[in-house]
Amino acid sequence: MKNLTIGMLFSVVGILFVCLTIMDILPSSTKTMKVVYIAIGWVFIIIGSVIRFKNLKQKQ
């Protein structure tokens, strides 16, 4: 259960990071920085998904 919560936390942080970047709340001076912020957010989303998937596979 603990890994499932950690995975969800990673995914939520990634989603917030991407949304805040798209809505121009995070300060980004260039378009390249926006792309970097979005890429970092997607990395967090993928890490969270992998953690949750592995946890669900272990329970079966």
Side-chain angles (χ1 to χ4, degrees), residues 37-53:
Y37 285 156
I38 290 174
I40 290 170
W42 272 104
V43 167
F44 274 102
I45 292 169
I46 292 170
I47 288 172
S49 298
V50 168
I51 290 172
R52 286 184 290 149
F53 181 75

Side-chain angles (χ1 to χ4, degrees), residues 27-38:
S28 56
S29 57
T30 62
K31 192 166 189 136
T32 306
M33 280 305 287
K34 261 190 179 179
V35 171
V36 168
Y37 285 156
I38 290 174

Side-chain angles (χ1 to χ4, degrees), residues 4 15 18 20 37 45 53:
L4 189 65
I15 291 169
V18 170
L20 291 175
Y37 285 156
I45 292 169
F53 181 75

